[in-house]
Amino acid sequence: MTKYNNLEKNLWLVTLAFLACFATIRVIGLPPDAALYAGLAKKVWLSGEFWLLRGSDGFFPKFYEHPPYFFQWGAWLMGQLGYSDVTAKLMGAIPSFFALLTLTIFVKRNWGWSMAAWTLLMLATTGHYTKYAATALLDAPLSLFTLLSLLSTFYFLRAPKNYSRLLAMLGIFLGVAGACASKGVVGLGCVGGAVGSYVVIVFLQNRPLSDLFRAWFLGVLLLMAAFLPFLLWIIQSFRSPELWSWIGGYFEEQVLRSATTNRGETFYGEGKNYFYFLNVIVRNLWPWWWSVPLSYIAILRPGKFFWKSWVTPAGFKFYGVIAGIYFLSFFVPLSLVTYKLPHYLHPTYLLLAPVGAWSVSNLMKSFFTRSFAGFESLKNNSKLLLGFRWGALVLVGVLTLGAGVHLSSTANRGQEFYNLGLRLSGINPACSIWIPQDQTAPYRMEAFSLWYLDGRPWKRVENAYPSKIAVPPEVIYWDPSKEILWLGGSCT
């Protein structure tokens, strides 16, 4: 019976992990960034250009905004499965699923099945997490490698000085390198998290201050790991005369401009709002955001107030400290840069979920203990409890998947992108595509061209009549109240 119960519990956890990853996999279409990245991966697959990424002849004739490794992974995937919206979403869903399974095994092994179940349940029912877990965005592999770095740091700081510590150090090294390969300098948050954790633990455990000098050595090693993906990228760029274009395209455009300007966008006007991501956490971790600060308060004030009966499992405080430092290593730098998007904090959801799950599991345990104190038959009836667990899971699944249909592709750019993509892809290939200048951004059209239009040419034209469109007889157009498209050439 015990063997069956363990199997049943493991299936429950895997189902929750599946929900957290694939809850929105059937939402039709891709948001603009995901369509652009999927289009780049498709171009890598079709052209064999693995290092010098090129868009179309439109807004991104050369693409240097992110390292090429995610697009190489997508190209391999499309080579196996062909290209479709589902394949594009698997670019992010597969690493997200591995991250969730890794987190599940870690939490279950250290703090039991209940904590693991609540961790996954929180992620599966957090709409903002499920939106970005299963799409062609770089945040999915970044999340996987950030989690690898954090868990390796946890074991490194707790392991005795033997081969276990060496293996943990290797895990941190791989996590940092993978994070930077996924999303460039954003992956440096893993370096700050690992080094910051080491420094804080030295103080908390009253270690000799001489141990702080080892933090410098650790930092240098991790910066070397972070630079490895860039070094490989640079070596490949040296083989062509485009090295300086790469330097200008990545470091000047993506790094320096993102840090000091809003890159020509005024996204919610939040460029100088240093509390923007605090608002993002509260808004996008709903309905569970309250559980994280509650856990930290309970950790800092044990034995006080209503959580005096809560049991803190071994190693949980240790994890909470490290998870908090990793969170701050992403949160603080991203709050200081002027180019902010809400999904930038996506990797931290995984890190904070076990922290919040601890307070939720304690609250629910207290609730059920008091509510069903007189119902010993319920407590001792394994079949009834089994039915209760799976009934709750089915309810969560229905609600999550049902809500997924109505979610927009992304929080800030709606489903209309895909609706326009459907129209574009259904146009007669003989048509040339003209887009009124005030209708859509160039990078969106780049995504259309690469993903939905198979690289077909398009051009933006000035719209001289914004209130009433003057259309030559040979041009076909749609209702101006919707997305406007002008078609010319030999279109019939």
Side-chain angles (χ1 to χ4, degrees), residues 339-354:
Y339 187 64
K340 300 178 175 73
L341 291 174
H343 61 84
Y344 285 179
L345 284 186
H346 186 271
T348 63
Y349 297 161
L350 278 174
L351 315 184
L352 295 177

Side-chain angles (χ1 to χ4, degrees), residues 458-470:
W458 57 272
K459 67 177 180 177
R460 300 176 81 210
V461 294
E462 183 177 353
N463 181 5
Y465 303 95
S467 58
K468 184 178 180 180
I469 306 299

Side-chain angles (χ1 to χ4, degrees), residues 284-331:
N284 292 332
L285 268 180
W286 187 262
W288 303 106
W289 67 267
W290 53 269
S291 64
V292 175
L294 184 62
S295 291
Y296 279 114
I297 293 171
I299 291 172
L300 293 172
R301 299 179 64 83
K304 305 286 185 180
F305 306 112
F306 67 90
W307 53 72
K308 59 185 177 182
S309 61
W310 293 6
V311 177
T312 305
F316 178 74
K317 288 184 179 179
F318 201 87
Y319 176 85
V321 169
I322 296 174
I325 294 169
Y326 263 82
F327 169 74
L328 291 175
S329 70
F330 282 92
F331 179 84

Side-chain angles (χ1 to χ4, degrees), residues 22-77:
F22 300 101
T24 56
I25 197 73
R26 66 194 184 100
V27 175
I28 298 174
L30 297 170
D33 286 347
L36 176 62
Y37 299 160
L40 287 166
K42 182 175 75 172
K43 191 153 190 179
V44 169
W45 170 47
L46 294 174
S47 68
E49 276 190 345
F50 265 59
W51 297 102
L52 295 173
L53 301 179
R54 300 178 188 277
S56 68
D57 295 328
F59 194 60
F60 289 118
K62 303 184 182 84
F63 186 86
Y64 298 108
E65 291 206 356
H66 297 295
Y69 307 101
F70 180 66
F71 311 111
Q72 294 172 5
W73 148 249
W76 178 86
L77 200 61

Side-chain angles (χ1 to χ4, degrees), residues 107-434:
V107 175
K108 185 184 177 186
R109 179 170 294 178
N110 283 277
W111 305 306
W113 179 84
S114 177
M115 276 274 291
W118 279 111
T119 297
L120 288 177
L121 183 62
M122 288 171 60
L123 290 169
T125 52
T126 300
H128 199 259
Y129 177 79
T130 58
K131 285 180 187 180
Y132 294 103
T135 194
L137 291 177
L138 302 96
D139 304 274
L142 175 63
S143 299
L144 172 63
F145 288 111
T146 300
L147 180 68
L148 173 61
S149 173
L150 180 142
L151 298 185
S152 299
T153 300
F154 176 86
Y155 285 118
F156 175 77
L157 293 173
R158 286 174 59 87
K161 296 180 180 180
N162 54 22
Y163 289 112
S164 298
R165 203 167 190 183
L166 184 62
L167 287 174
M169 185 65 201
L170 179 61
I172 303 173
F173 194 90
L174 292 174
V176 167
C180 290
S182 300
K183 205 167 180 180
V185 296
V186 178
L188 292 176
C190 294
V191 177
V195 177
S197 298
Y198 183 89
V199 171
V200 170
I201 294 300
V202 165
F203 281 103
L204 291 180
Q205 295 184 342
N206 294 318
R207 296 186 188 180
L209 292 181
S210 58
D211 280 2
L212 291 177
F213 289 102
R214 298 178 184 175
W216 289 97
F217 179 67
L218 176 65
V220 169
L221 281 179
L222 294 184
L223 285 174
M224 290 172 61
F227 189 66
L228 277 178
F230 294 102
L231 181 62
L232 186 57
W233 197 6
I234 289 171
I235 290 172
Q236 297 297 325
S237 298
F238 262 119
R239 297 181 178 180
S240 76
E242 302 192 31
L243 175 64
W244 295 111
S245 297
W246 176 85
I247 293 174
Y250 185 74
F251 284 103
E252 291 183 15
E253 171 66 22
Q254 181 70 4
V255 179
L256 294 178
R257 192 177 172 203
S258 293
T260 58
T261 73
N262 213 26
R263 298 179 62 194
E265 296 185 31
T266 52
F267 182 73
Y268 292 159
E270 300 294 353
K272 295 295 184 180
N273 182 359
Y274 300 123
F275 299 100
Y276 168 72
F277 283 113
L278 190 61
N279 177 44
V280 166
I281 283 288
V282 173
R283 186 176 72 242
N284 292 332
L285 268 180
W286 187 262
W288 303 106
W289 67 267
W290 53 269
S291 64
V292 175
L294 184 62
S295 291
Y296 279 114
I297 293 171
I299 291 172
L300 293 172
R301 299 179 64 83
K304 305 286 185 180
F305 306 112
F306 67 90
W307 53 72
K308 59 185 177 182
S309 61
W310 293 6
V311 177
T312 305
F316 178 74
K317 288 184 179 179
F318 201 87
Y319 176 85
V321 169
I322 296 174
I325 294 169
Y326 263 82
F327 169 74
L328 291 175
S329 70
F330 282 92
F331 179 84
V332 173
L334 289 173
S335 296
L336 295 177
V337 302
T338 54
Y339 187 64
K340 300 178 175 73
L341 291 174
H343 61 84
Y344 285 179
L345 284 186
H346 186 271
T348 63
Y349 297 161
L350 278 174
L351 315 184
L352 295 177
V355 178
W358 178 68
S359 61
V360 175
S361 63
N362 275 287
L363 286 172
M364 296 306 294
K365 187 185 298 181
S366 301
F367 171 76
F368 281 109
T369 300
R370 294 176 182 178
S371 301
F372 299 104
F375 298 91
E376 291 297 323
S377 59
L378 175 64
K379 184 178 179 181
N380 299 321
N381 193 326
S382 59
K383 290 184 178 179
L384 196 58
L385 287 175
L386 174 65
F388 176 77
R389 277 203 299 264
W390 280 99
L393 183 59
V394 168
L395 178 62
V396 170
V398 170
L399 291 175
T400 306
L401 292 171
V405 178
H406 305 290
L407 293 172
S408 62
S409 339
T410 177
N412 55 305
R413 302 179 179 103
Q415 194 73 8
E416 75 280 354
F417 178 87
Y418 177 71
N419 296 333
L420 182 54
L422 273 181
R423 296 176 180 183
L424 282 165
S425 57
I427 296 170
N428 186 330
C431 301
S432 61
I433 301 172
W434 304 339

